[in-house]
Amino acid sequence: MSMTTEQRTFDSLDPATGAVVGTHPVQDARAVRAAVAEAERAAEWWGGLGWAERRRRLLDYKAVVTRDIARIVGTVHRETGKPKADATLEAILAITHLDWAARNARKVLGARRVSPGMVGANLAATLEYLPLGVVGVIGPWNYPVFTPMGSIAYALAAGNAVVFKPSELTPGTGVLLAELFAEAVPEQPVFRTVTGLGETGAALAGDPGVKKIAFTGSTATAKRVMAACAQNLTPMVAECGGKDALIVDADADVAAAADAALWGAMSNSGQTCVGVERVYVVDAVYDAFMRELTGRAREVRAGEDYGPVTMPAQLDVIRRHIDDAVASGKAVLGGPESVRAPYVDPVIVEDVPEDSPAVREETFGPTLTIKRVADAEEALEKANATAYGLAGTIFSGDRRRAVELARRMRSGMTAINSVISFASVPALPFGGLGDSGFGRIHGADGLREFARPKAVSRQRFALPGMNLTSFTRTQAELDRVVKLVTFLHGRRKQ
């Protein structure tokens, strides 16, 4: 970080080379307050446009993002180190979510009539979801386009303005996303980015003008953000990572399962909140699975197939987990020597005790622990024995059994015979439970996350002899209503 006479700045670095990618201002609480104040005024304009006009502008934004996808990919590649192919996939998924949010907001959130029920037969009842105002988004560095766009797109589609604080490791990506929005929607600063370190995020979370915070990051940081939000009773949606498991059943396609486990664990250098970190394999196919997995893993190269570890401090966690796993289990591929900063070669260890840090804590690196189990029930029990609850994977040849296992997996999302496929379906909500956080982005649930329900009841006509909300009511009127309720609800169902 450097000091100037006017403002502090910080550099974003290429994690592979250490070269400076860009220099950005550290925006303090005063700058954040000014940004939120501008966004409050923009939110009034944006919310007043109506569904059709917002949809048109958001689809324009989608077109601009798509047109400049190479520029976005280049920025992500330089700031995270991930291969351009992976950055491209991330941008494509973000575009599909932006499109879905824009096209479905009115259907999900728009005013609609609801049944008033028999007792309210003289009423008309409507429900709609109104904008909150300004939504603050605090984004991560591992997927600096896809992950925050899951909040930004849905918040904008719901009629809110957005102030986005990207990770200090990927500020240029956040700045670019806001610049492209301004190109599509030049009238008002409906979506703007503020840059800085932890203090900037804290200022955003604690600003009284922010009506909701969408946070992605560690569980520990989420607790600090919640504390800042508590000062103003600001609600929050939090996605805090996981320790996701993949289960290989006895009748699974072993080759496909091994391929999925490898990609789910090693892609993006393992820096994926819904990545595969644990694998439980039924004994009948264990040896065949391990042959497939290790054979494929030996062909994967750090620095070629996936990039460096983006956050230098994470190397210490990865190293500690590898040391623990190798000491308590059996190294199948790689080991402590696999950590060669800023890269980590693939590491696969089997028979690691379930109570070890390598199995219990989020590693966020290109490592896998493999455990042999008697059957899928034992696999599910072990998969669920975690404080996290984000996502998971089931490989099985029996569709009904796979669906049942998926439903019973303690997670917000589960993929069957595929890996992380739920993230590519915009209509599916994304989020977890336990130490993985709460609330949902994506889908109809994600749109509602950034809106407030508004209920309206209107009396169409008076019901003679049944006016209960008046001091003029009589016992006879009350008796008639009791008879009606008894008729409707007093019989026990067989």
Side-chain angles (χ1 to χ4, degrees), residues 245-261 276 278-290 293 370-377 379-380 383 393-397 401 405 409 417:
L246 184 149
I247 293 173
V248 184
D249 205 353
D251 55 2
D253 181 332
V254 172
D259 184 66
V276 178
R278 302 175 290 150
V279 182
Y280 297 101
V281 187
V282 172
D283 178 70
V285 293
Y286 186 87
D287 293 336
F289 175 84
M290 291 303 292
L293 178 65
I370 318 291
K371 175 74 72 173
R372 186 193 300 261
V373 294
D375 52 32
E377 286 299 319
L380 185 65
T393 310
I394 308 288
F395 268 82
S396 174
R401 178 172 178 77
L405 289 169
M409 180 173 273
N417 294 337

Side-chain angles (χ1 to χ4, degrees), residues 236-308:
M236 173 180 169
V237 53
E239 193 263 278
C240 307
K243 191 70 178 177
D244 293 352
L246 184 149
I247 293 173
V248 184
D249 205 353
D251 55 2
D253 181 332
V254 172
D259 184 66
L262 183 64
W263 192 85
M266 309 301 167
S267 63
N268 202 33
S269 196
Q271 301 167 130
T272 304
C273 57
V274 289
V276 178
E277 296 209 3
R278 302 175 290 150
V279 182
Y280 297 101
V281 187
V282 172
D283 178 70
V285 293
Y286 186 87
D287 293 336
F289 175 84
M290 291 303 292
R291 283 194 299 272
E292 284 282 351
L293 178 65
T294 54
R296 293 167 185 265
R298 290 191 182 98
E299 302 301 317
V300 175
R301 297 286 182 268
E304 297 178 20
D305 299 299
Y306 61 81

Side-chain angles (χ1 to χ4, degrees), residues 12 54 80 142 211 252 413 492:
S12 62
R54 283 198 299 271
T80 67
N142 58 332
K211 300 310 178 186
M413 305 151 289
R492 297 181 63 182

Side-chain angles (χ1 to χ4, degrees), residues 153-368:
Y154 291 80
L156 290 170
N160 304 285
V162 170
V163 178
F164 175 37
K165 192 276 176 188
S167 166
E168 58 268 29
L169 299 180
T170 55
T173 303
V175 169
L176 178 55
L177 291 177
E179 286 178 353
L180 294 178
F181 185 86
E183 183 178 330
V185 186
E187 299 99 321
Q188 295 272 354
V190 176
F191 167 30
R192 59 177 302 160
T193 293
V194 293
T195 57
L197 311 179
E199 65 197 73
T200 305
L204 182 61
D207 192 289
V210 173
K211 300 310 178 186
K212 188 157 196 172
I213 286 289
F215 169 82
T216 305
S218 71
T219 304
T221 304
K223 293 176 181 179
R224 293 195 292 271
V225 173
M226 284 186 71
C229 288
Q231 301 304 309
N232 299 302
L233 286 181
T234 304
M236 173 180 169
V237 53
E239 193 263 278
C240 307
K243 191 70 178 177
D244 293 352
L246 184 149
I247 293 173
V248 184
D249 205 353
D251 55 2
D253 181 332
V254 172
D259 184 66
L262 183 64
W263 192 85
M266 309 301 167
S267 63
N268 202 33
S269 196
Q271 301 167 130
T272 304
C273 57
V274 289
V276 178
E277 296 209 3
R278 302 175 290 150
V279 182
Y280 297 101
V281 187
V282 172
D283 178 70
V285 293
Y286 186 87
D287 293 336
F289 175 84
M290 291 303 292
R291 283 194 299 272
E292 284 282 351
L293 178 65
T294 54
R296 293 167 185 265
R298 290 191 182 98
E299 302 301 317
V300 175
R301 297 286 182 268
E304 297 178 20
D305 299 299
Y306 61 81
V309 172
T310 304
M311 187 168 69
Q314 195 65 28
L315 285 167
D316 295 332
V317 177
I318 296 169
R319 187 181 291 108
R320 176 169 60 84
H321 284 193
I322 292 173
D323 290 346
D324 165 76
V326 171
S328 59
K330 176 186 174 185
V332 176
L333 181 69
E337 72 282 359
S338 299
V339 181
R340 46 184 187 86
Y343 296 97
V344 178
D345 294 316
V347 176
I348 299 173
V349 188
E350 59 185 351
D351 296 329
V352 181
E354 292 294 292
D355 60 354
S356 67
V359 176
R360 307 295 295 178
E361 301 173 9
E362 186 175 37
T363 305
F364 230 53
T367 68
L368 268 180

